[in-house]
Every structure is written in structure tokens, then in C-alpha cells.
Amino acid sequence: MSDLLILQNKSAGILTITIQRPQALNALNASVIGQLSVAIDTAQTDAEVQTIVLTGSGEKAFVAGADIKEFSDYNGREGKALAQEGQDLLFNRIERSSKPVIAAINGFALGGGLELALACHIRIASNNARMGLPEVSLGVIPGYGGTQRLPQIVGKGKAMEMILSARMIGADDAAACGLVNAVVSQEELLETAHKMAHSIMKNSPVAVATAIQAVLAGYEDGVNGFQAEINCFGASFETDDFKEGTQAFIEKRKPQFPGK
Ligand code: CAA
């Protein structure tokens, strides 16, 4: 059996997952990817989990990328499989998680590490965080969705600059271009991520999951996002959460969503 490379802590509806490979700056090897994939999958049906916070161990790195030592002798076929399996097993699953995933970026988020954060729904960074896609400096390109998700989040021009220059940016620059939603001190990072989780958890979990689905629809090939929104909107009216949310408003009380 492989070593445990992630820590999981469940408290008050929040699953906090910490990647535990500090000696390699939490780089993503096959075991970390496999363990994260199982954790995200399991959380989908765990009634005790409503939101997920993803972070790295130590004070230096969130994740410093895919494990360069693991893939340095790969050929083209193996490289393609690395990207395909990583995207299928983990990055796409995080993005499609019906429970919001918040990245708490506590240091370097480089290459596959930034791509991991990009797959999350919300990103909060500590002020020492450094982010970038340095793959072209290694003779490869981002392979865990970075060429697609970075332009979606910061726009094509800024993404081109970051990908082609391979340069890192600091937390304030990342906030200025919309790459992260907030910047706080390292001491406040997890608390801020948990506060964000709590503000989401006040809402209907069914509507939150449906909203994620509708937002993602606009980025799917061949899908009309506006039509997907209309369909999702209509489906919301059939849920018990909708009945409770609207009734609570009319009765001037806080809703108790049955979807929880
Ligand atoms: N893979 C494997 N090991 C890594 C790693 C990575 N991505 N990043 C850091 N490490 C290891 C280092 O090799 C080192 O191990 P040893 O002590 O055994 O030598 C240890 O972590 C500490 O790292 P450094 O000594 O390099 O620490 P530093 O403070 O001098 O530098 C850093 C920090 C700038 C983040 C530097 O480690 C670095 O540049 N890391 C690589 C970043 C990178 O290029 N990431 C992209 C990977 S490719 C990718 O992700 C492809 C993809 O899209 C799928």
C-alpha cells in the first residue's frame, strides 16, 4: 500500500484536504493524484461534507507542480497518458464537483499546482503565494488544463503572458487579474477559506450544485450555456430547497434547506 500523502479533516460541513509531501513542495506524483481523486469522489456522496477546502502542507508551497522527477524520462505516449489520466482522474472531477471546492494557496502554486487551483471553484491566496505556469522553461507545456482554464479566468492576453514567459506572479498581482478571489496573511488563510465555505453553506446546496453546473455549461464544447441555464433554472423550481427558500422569505425566517 502506498503512503498516505493527503490529510483529511472534516468539521462543520467542511472537508479540509491537505497535500502532505513537504519534502517535494507537495509536488503531484501519481499517488497524490490517486489519493486526491478518491477523496473528491468520496466527498460527493458524504452527507457530512458540503464544501471542500484544498491546501498544501507547510508554509512554503501549495503545490510546486507535477512531479518532474517522475516524468523526466517519459516518451510522448507516456506524456500524453500523464495529462489524460490526470485531467480525467482529478482536475475535471474537481471542477465538476457538486460541492464547491476552495483552494487555499499557501505558497508556491506552480505548473500542475496552479492548474489544481484553477480547477477549484474559488481561490484564496496567502500574501507569500507565488503563482505561475513554468512548464515552457522545462520544454513542455501545461498538461493539467492550464492552457484552457487560465485564459477562462484571467483572459487570453494575461494567460499568454504567464504561459509564454513562464514567470511567476505574486498574490497581489494575482488578485488584480482575477486569478485569486482574495489575499490574506498566511495565519488567516484557512480561516478565510472556511469563512467563505460557511457563507456558501448558508445557501441551498441543491441550488449551489446546479449553479456550478450552469456556469460550467458555458465552457463546454457544443453546449449553449444560456439554454443550459434556462433548463437548470426550471429544474430548480421542482426542488424542495426552492419551496423552502421562497417560503422562508415570505415568512420572514431563515431557511432550513432539506437538501443539506
Ligand atoms: N517536482 C519534483 N520535485 C520538486 C518539484 C517538482 N515540481 N518542485 C520542487 N521539488 C523538490 C526539489 O527537487 C527539492 O527536492 P530535493 O531537496 O530532494 O532536491 C525540494 O522539492 C525543494 O525544492 P527546491 O530546493 O527547489 O526549493 P527552492 O526554494 O530552491 O525553489 C521552487 C522552490 C522555485 C518552487 C523550485 O522548487 C521549482 O522551481 N520547482 C519546480 C516548479 C515547476 O517547474 N513546476 C512545474 C512542473 S511541470 C508540470 O506541472 C507539468 C504539468 O502541467 C502537468
Side-chain angles (χ1 to χ4, degrees):
M1 214 181 101
S2 58
D3 294 341
L4 201 57
L5 296 172
I6 61 169
L7 280 184
Q8 299 190 61
N9 177 50
K10 260 190 274 180
S11 173
I14 305 170
L15 170 66
T16 304
I17 305 176
T18 309
I19 300 165
Q20 280 283 108
R21 266 193 99 201
Q23 73 288 358
L25 302 186
N26 303 318
L28 300 172
N29 63 11
S31 298
V32 177
I33 294 212
Q35 291 177 25
L36 283 174
S37 173
V38 171
I40 297 291
D41 257 9
T42 308
Q44 302 305 304
T45 50
D46 184 340
E48 285 177 41
V49 177
Q50 289 174 54
T51 53
I52 301 164
V53 171
L54 194 53
T55 194
S57 63
E59 296 185 347
K60 194 168 167 182
F62 172 68
V63 169
D67 192 317
I68 300 168
K69 293 165 192 170
E70 196 176 60
F71 68 65
S72 61
D73 62 353
Y74 280 11
N75 61 27
R77 184 184 49 76
E78 292 167 314
K80 189 175 174 187
L82 180 79
Q84 184 79 59
E85 283 163 22
Q87 293 196 20
D88 291 348
L89 265 180
L90 183 60
F91 294 75
N92 295 343
R93 289 188 194 194
I94 289 178
E95 185 172 65
R96 292 176 197 152
S97 166
S98 62
K99 305 187 178 180
V101 186
I102 301 168
I105 305 172
N106 56 311
F108 288 114
L110 301 174
L114 180 57
E115 291 171 297
L116 189 65
L118 292 171
C120 295
H121 303 112
I122 293 173
R123 285 157 292 284
I124 298 171
S126 57
N127 46 23
N128 68 320
R130 309 269 300 149
M131 286 155 265
L133 292 177
E135 285 89 343
V136 296
S137 72
L138 297 166
V140 289
I141 69 161
Y144 287 151
T147 64
Q148 305 306 300
R149 291 193 182 101
L150 187 62
Q152 288 168 5
I153 292 168
V154 302
K156 189 172 160 190
K158 185 69 186 171
M160 281 287 192
E161 179 195 327
M162 287 181 67
I163 293 167
L164 304 186
S165 73
R167 278 208 307 257
M168 298 182 209
I169 61 171
D172 289 338
D173 285 347
C177 69
L179 177 52
V180 299
N181 301 76
V183 179
V184 294
S185 70
Q186 192 151 52
E187 297 70 45
E188 294 168 310
L189 180 63
L190 273 187
E191 186 194 327
T192 307
H194 288 173
K195 267 192 198 154
M196 175 72 78
H198 281 296
S199 70
I200 294 171
M201 291 190 298
K202 286 190 193 127
N203 303 316
S204 151
V206 178
V208 164
T210 309
I212 292 174
Q213 215 184 316
V215 171
L216 294 183
Y219 296 94
E220 264 177 57
D221 262 355
V223 174
N224 179 330
F226 288 96
Q227 190 57 52
E229 181 186 273
I230 291 166
N231 297 343
C232 287
F233 183 75
S236 304
F237 285 69
E238 299 292 329
T239 67
D240 291 339
D241 278 14
F242 167 75
K243 290 182 185 72
E244 170 61 10
T246 48
Q247 204 54 42
F249 174 81
I250 290 161
E251 292 168 9
K252 299 187 187 299
R253 60 173 174 82
K254 281 199 176 148
Q256 293 293 325
F257 289 113
K260 274 188 182 157

